[in-house]
Amino acid sequence: MPFIDIVPVGPAGAGKSCLLAAMNQGLKGWEQSPAPVLKPDPVTALVLEEVWQSRQVRGTECQAGVRHRGVVDLWFEAGADGGGPLFETRLADYDGGAVAVDRHAVGRALAARVRGADAVLCVLDGERVAGLLDGDRDGFDQGMAAVWKLVVAPRKVVRFVVTKWDVLEGRASLAQVRDALLGHPGFAMVLRRLSACPGEAGTVALIPVSVAGEDAGQQAVVPLMSVLSQALRAAAGRAERSAGRGGALVAGVGMNWLSQAVTAVAVQQVLQRVVDAVPERRAARRYVGHAATGASMLVEAAVRTWCERGARPADDQAARAGGKPLTRAAEAYEWQLREFHRRFPDADLTGAVSPPPRLLRRLLG
């Protein structure tokens, strides 16, 4: 069963905990969705339900994650209707303030998680983004230096999530927020480094989310669906390649074993018949070894050809079967995002900035 690791990163007070709690609420309404349903394990459900219930308390929305002393793992399992589990995913909650502290245990653990993760959700505080629109660059930069270092990990699916969109909605469009972020040196450099990473998975997008309205859950699952669609396609490709390599390896081992076994029997029979048929004269006995070797080579070649014809279709079938469910799940999540793309056509950040020159790219790498 594929395992997809998603790590949210962001400064303290950006709203990571409430975003994750709203995701859990949105997943509860997925029973009628054509996409695979994600269900939390019992501990994850209790943790996120507590955050969701306490978000109405004044100040809790920004401080919900501070109580965590370390990185808290949140586990979800996805399954289709009437079938077994299709994949498993893990997210993380933690104190965002610890990331900005040098050599903090949480910061080191989070950096290690990001290096091995499949996707990164960079959470941007909507209130600080509103300040950036008003010219307050210092307020936006507070605590972001450590976040930028985490985001630029190579070969990750990256989504920038602007939380507290209710603060920005009505005063700025997503296109205006996008332009303001592209004008920020730190954000622009992150995009350049992401575009310079070879083999970068999928697109880079800007996703607005608010947990204050009635549709908070529906908004909060958009970043999750967006990264899952890309991560599942990558997992499907890995499954197909793994199935092909595994089948070829098994077939190769089987061919070697079978051909050697048959060859041994053939050599023994040929030697026995030749010895029985050839008179006991030294001149004739010289050709016994050559005859046995030639017969063994012919038998081994025939056995290998038969094994290859029998094994190759099975390998192809296993490869197709291994990746097809994951690809269909990715397509289902992408179909669920169609309304978001119609509402926010400026969300795509792919190609927003040009990659750095080759010399600068070497220095950055």
Side-chain angles (χ1 to χ4, degrees):
M1 183 172 60
F3 167 66
I4 299 174
D5 199 6
I6 305 172
V7 182
V9 298
K16 296 183 299 299
S17 296
C18 281
L19 173 65
L20 295 171
M23 282 183 185
N24 185 48
Q25 296 298 315
L27 293 175
K28 294 180 179 180
W30 264 20
E31 298 297 335
Q32 303 301 323
S33 172
V37 179
L38 280 165
K39 294 184 178 180
D41 68 1
V43 176
T44 297
L46 288 174
V47 171
L48 295 180
E49 191 66 31
E50 179 185 352
V51 175
W52 184 253
Q53 294 298 329
S54 63
R55 73 184 182 91
Q56 301 295 339
V57 180
R58 183 177 179 84
T60 302
E61 183 172 348
C62 294
Q63 303 297 326
V66 176
R67 68 184 186 278
H68 302 317
R69 296 182 179 180
V71 178
V72 177
D73 292 329
L74 306 172
W75 295 88
F76 295 85
E77 188 177 85
D81 294 338
L86 182 61
F87 66 90
E88 191 176 33
T89 185
R90 177 182 66 175
L91 291 96
D93 195 11
Y94 55 92
D95 177 8
V99 180
V101 180
D102 292 338
R103 299 182 180 180
H104 195 285
V106 173
R108 293 197 303 268
L110 193 65
R113 285 281 295 272
V114 169
R115 286 193 294 269
D118 299 288
V120 175
L121 296 178
C122 182
V123 182
L124 305 177
D125 190 342
E127 293 181 347
R128 296 185 184 184
V129 173
L132 181 64
L133 291 172
D134 295 334
D136 184 11
R137 179 172 292 181
D138 293 337
F140 180 79
D141 288 337
Q142 185 178 1
M144 290 302 299
V147 175
W148 297 142
K149 294 179 182 179
L150 294 173
V151 174
V152 294
R155 298 177 181 86
K156 310 293 180 189
V157 181
V158 178
R159 296 292 183 267
F160 296 93
V161 183
V162 181
T163 59
K164 308 172 188 177
W165 185 248
D166 52 293
V167 177
L168 291 163
E169 196 171 20
R171 60 173 297 187
S173 64
L174 185 62
Q176 292 173 318
V177 171
R178 181 176 184 264
D179 294 340
L181 291 173
L182 291 175
H184 186 273
F187 187 86
M189 179 55 67
V190 168
L191 285 185
R192 290 192 184 97
R193 294 189 65 175
L194 290 175
S195 62
C197 292
E200 185 69 25
T203 58
V204 182
L206 185 67
I207 302 176
V209 174
S210 174
V211 299
E214 296 181 356
D215 61 342
Q218 297 177 8
Q219 293 187 45
V221 296
V222 170
L224 182 61
M225 288 189 294
S226 182
V227 297
L228 282 178
S229 62
Q230 296 294 328
L232 285 172
R233 287 190 178 278
R238 291 194 300 267
E240 292 180 359
R241 291 191 296 270
S242 177
R245 287 195 300 267
L249 179 62
V250 172
V253 173
M255 283 187 290
N256 287 332
W257 180 85
L258 184 58
S259 61
Q260 291 174 7
V262 174
T263 300
V265 175
V267 171
Q268 183 180 7
Q269 292 179 353
V270 169
L271 283 174
Q272 187 64 41
R273 291 186 179 183
V274 170
V275 169
D276 293 340
V278 176
E280 295 184 1
R281 288 182 296 177
R282 293 183 180 180
R285 295 277 183 152
R286 294 178 184 177
Y287 302 101
V288 174
H290 299 293
T293 302
S296 65
M297 292 176 62
L298 291 174
V299 172
E300 184 173 358
V303 171
R304 282 182 174 273
T305 302
W306 176 80
C307 289
E308 288 177 355
R309 289 178 179 176
R312 192 178 296 115
D315 286 349
D316 295 340
Q317 185 178 3
R320 288 193 298 268
K324 187 175 180 180
L326 300 178
T327 302
R328 291 179 65 88
E331 293 172 349
Y333 289 127
E334 292 168 356
W335 184 80
Q336 292 285 95
L337 292 171
R338 69 195 188 286
E339 183 61 34
F340 169 79
H341 291 306
R342 281 197 293 263
R343 183 180 177 185
F344 298 103
D346 298 309
D348 188 12
L349 293 174
T350 306
V353 295
S354 59
R358 182 175 300 177
L359 178 60
L360 181 59
R361 193 181 309 174
R362 291 178 181 176
L363 296 175
L364 293 175

